Amino acid sequence: MSEPTERTTVRRLPEKAVTDRSVLDAILDEALVAHVALAEGDQPFVLPMACARDGDRLLLHGSTGSRLMRALAAGAPTCATVTLLDGLVFARSAFESSMHYRSATILGRASVVPQEELVDALRVLTEHLLPGRWAHLRPPQRKELAATMVLALPLQEWSVKVGDGWPEDDPADLGADVWAGVLPLRTTAGPPRPAPDLAAGIEVPDHVRTRYPS
Amino acid sequence: MSEPTERTTVRRLPEKAVTDRSVLDAILDEALVAHVALAEGDQPFVLPMACARDGDRLLLHGSTGSRLMRALAAGAPTCATVTLLDGLVFARSAFESSMHYRSATILGRASVVPQEELVDALRVLTEHLLPGRWAHLRPPQRKELAATMVLALPLQEWSVKVGDGWPEDDPADLGADVWAGVLPLRTTAGPPRPAPDLAAGIEVPDHVRTRYPS
């Protein structure tokens, strides 16, 4: 969006609000999971779903059998929120202690990716979650496509918040004998674990080994 | 809860549903953030909030000024979902590719932690997010407490899903010359970054250094 709407205007800590689309894209391009919501009466439900940005839309992957997916496929308004935790902020008081994070919230209605576009959508999802993987896999089968639903949520109404500063301690606390700063956090990989039924002689490929820093 | 209710019964992949309370506790005790939802009419909203389990309730930390917090404080039904990503599952087909995850969803109504219990709640939150930190910090001030809201969501109606298996490939795919297995993921810390206004001679304490593996 060019301008926040009434319901995507960040009211809390507005100095942390970001309206630069490239920041939204960067968050979505790093996230594996979105928390996707549905309102049923006054009760909200939130479930994690695998996600991938595809240009101006966020793809959400689920099963045709899921109640949430079916409701969203039928046009129910949704909210998809993605949060990346980048660090812990150790301030000199509990009150100023916080986290480094990047969070994106997208409002709207999703549409079902039609069967004739489903292979492309699955390629985008697979290449986002497991970059370099698609070329190694056989094409999806008809029965697999029939059992798969991908939703596309347009990136039209969204907001982004980024917390990335130093602790903002009360000047009266600066003399305390307390370490203050930031502990950066990141996702790393342990050693790949081969499947028990993996044939002998198949080595761990680069696209697995380099997926995350180890 | 002892038994799932109608709305917390896991319908999708029910073999991944877990009803053991100790599994719920372990997920909440590892999570820093919950995705907390509110329904306004048919539009759901989801925001990340710092969280900490306190016995049979989940504490959620926010500001008295947040619209979401105010609505939840007024008794609106909510859903708090916590998701931990434990790995990427590389199967021999896109269809069977998945993730290792542990996810907990809690439904209910939150209550506001009263001012006289707020210091205890902030201690639980701080010690969950930054273990060992509380003893180093001065007590919260009255004005800080007045600007802080902590919500408590009872752990009564909840569901847990855990995905932790090997790729379940179609037997016809087992002969493919494709590596299959799991890449475990975890959160690790980079080197602590001291605040620019940190006084000389204050070393990084153990509770910061050991918060996450480096």
Side-chain angles (χ1 to χ4, degrees), chain A residues 90 179 183, chain B residues 189-190 192 203-214:
Chain A
F90 292 78
W179 188 86
L183 185 69
Chain B
E203 300 295 325
V204 178
D206 282 347
H207 72 268
V208 174
R209 200 193 316 275
T210 64
R211 176 64 182 91
Y212 280 96
S214 57

Side-chain angles (χ1 to χ4, degrees), chain A residues 160-174:
Chain A
V160 164
K161 284 183 85 170
V162 173
D164 59 0
W166 294 110
E168 297 177 351
D169 281 304
D170 189 320
D173 290 332
L174 293 183

Side-chain angles (χ1 to χ4, degrees), chain B residues 21 52-59 111 113 117 121 152-155:
Chain B
R21 170 61 194 265
R53 186 176 67 87
D54 180 29
D56 290 331
R57 59 188 194 167
L58 184 67
L59 300 179
S111 59
V113 173
E117 298 173 14
L153 181 62
L155 300 179

Side-chain angles (χ1 to χ4, degrees), chain B residues 48-210:
Chain B
M49 295 178 61
C51 66
R53 186 176 67 87
D54 180 29
D56 290 331
R57 59 188 194 167
L58 184 67
L59 300 179
L60 300 167
H61 179 261
S63 157
T64 51
S66 137
R67 186 179 62 159
L68 177 69
M69 290 291 280
R70 287 199 308 266
L72 299 187
T78 191
C79 173
T81 295
V82 162
T83 304
L84 304 173
L85 275 180
D86 296 326
L88 297 170
V89 179
F90 291 78
R92 285 119 172 146
S93 65
F95 186 73
E96 292 293 347
S97 299
S98 62
M99 294 189 231
H100 279 185
Y101 63 90
R102 288 168 290 154
S103 179
T105 296
I106 304 153
L107 301 178
R109 295 172 195 268
S111 59
V112 179
V113 173
Q115 281 284 317
E116 63 271 22
E117 298 173 14
L118 202 45
V119 172
D120 279 343
L122 291 172
R123 181 177 46 74
V124 170
L125 276 157
T126 303
E127 284 293 294
H128 170 62
L129 299 170
L130 313 173
R133 185 69 171 169
W134 187 259
H136 296 268
L137 304 178
R138 61 163 173 74
Q141 297 167 350
R142 186 182 301 247
K143 67 178 179 189
E144 293 172 342
L145 295 175
T148 301
M149 188 184 288
V150 176
L151 297 174
L153 181 62
L155 300 179
Q156 284 174 346
E157 192 177 358
W158 54 267
S159 63
V160 163
K161 282 181 86 170
V162 174
D164 60 0
W166 293 109
E168 297 178 350
D169 282 303
D170 189 319
D173 290 331
L174 292 184
D177 184 24
V178 177
W179 187 86
V182 173
L183 185 68
L185 299 181
R186 62 176 189 170
T187 301
T188 57
R193 298 164 57 208
D197 56 10
L198 185 66
I202 301 183
E203 300 295 325
V204 178
D206 282 347
H207 72 268
V208 174
R209 200 193 316 275
T210 64

Side-chain angles (χ1 to χ4, degrees), chain A residues 3-16:
Chain A
E3 294 295 327
T5 64
E6 167 62 21
R7 52 189 200 166
T8 56
T9 298
V10 173
R11 290 182 181 75
R12 279 303 308 160
L13 303 176
E15 72 280 11
K16 298 194 193 304

Side-chain angles (χ1 to χ4, degrees), chain A residues 6-7 11-12 32-33 35-51 61 63-67 76-83 85 88-101 103 105-109 122 126 129-130 133-134 136-138 140-141 143-145 147-148 166-167 169-170 173-174 176-199 201-205 207-209 211-212, chain B residues 6-7 11-12 32-33 35-51 61 63-67 76-83 85 88-101 103 105-109 122 126 129-130 133-134 136-138 140-141 143-145 147-148 166-167 169-170 173-174 176-199 201-205 207-209 211-212:
Chain A
E6 167 62 21
R7 52 189 200 166
R11 290 182 181 75
R12 279 303 308 160
L32 305 183
V33 165
H35 281 82
V36 183
L38 171 70
E40 284 193 340
D42 61 359
Q43 176 67 56
F45 294 88
V46 182
L47 287 178
M49 295 177 63
C51 66
H61 180 261
S63 157
T64 52
S66 137
R67 185 180 62 161
T78 191
C79 173
T81 295
V82 162
T83 304
L85 274 180
L88 297 171
V89 179
F90 292 78
R92 284 113 172 153
S93 65
F95 186 73
E96 293 292 348
S97 300
S98 61
M99 294 189 231
H100 278 184
Y101 64 90
S103 179
T105 295
I106 304 153
L107 301 178
R109 295 173 195 265
L122 290 172
T126 303
L129 299 169
L130 313 173
R133 186 68 171 170
W134 187 257
H136 296 269
L137 304 179
R138 62 164 173 74
Q141 297 168 350
K143 68 178 177 188
E144 293 173 341
L145 296 175
T148 301
W166 294 110
D169 281 304
D170 189 320
D173 290 332
L174 293 183
D177 184 23
V178 176
W179 188 86
V182 173
L183 185 69
L185 299 181
R186 62 177 189 168
T187 300
T188 56
R193 298 164 57 208
D197 56 10
L198 185 67
I202 301 183
E203 301 295 326
V204 178
H207 73 266
V208 173
R209 201 193 316 275
R211 176 63 181 92
Y212 280 95
Chain B
E6 167 64 20
R7 51 187 201 169
R11 290 182 179 76
R12 279 304 308 160
L32 306 183
V33 165
H35 281 83
V36 183
L38 171 71
E40 285 193 341
D42 61 359
Q43 177 66 57
F45 295 87
V46 182
L47 287 178
M49 295 178 61
C51 66
H61 179 261
S63 157
T64 51
S66 137
R67 186 179 62 159
T78 191
C79 173
T81 295
V82 162
T83 304
L85 275 180
L88 297 170
V89 179
F90 291 78
R92 285 119 172 146
S93 65
F95 186 73
E96 292 293 347
S97 299
S98 62
M99 294 189 231
H100 279 185
Y101 63 90
S103 179
T105 296
I106 304 153
L107 301 178
R109 295 172 195 268
L122 291 172
T126 303
L129 299 170
L130 313 173
R133 185 69 171 169
W134 187 259
H136 296 268
L137 304 178
R138 61 163 173 74
Q141 297 167 350
K143 67 178 179 189
E144 293 172 342
L145 295 175
T148 301
W166 293 109
D169 282 303
D170 189 319
D173 290 331
L174 292 184
D177 184 24
V178 177
W179 187 86
V182 173
L183 185 68
L185 299 181
R186 62 176 189 170
T187 301
T188 57
R193 298 164 57 208
D197 56 10
L198 185 66
I202 301 183
E203 300 295 325
V204 178
H207 72 268
V208 174
R209 200 193 316 275
R211 176 64 182 91
Y212 280 96

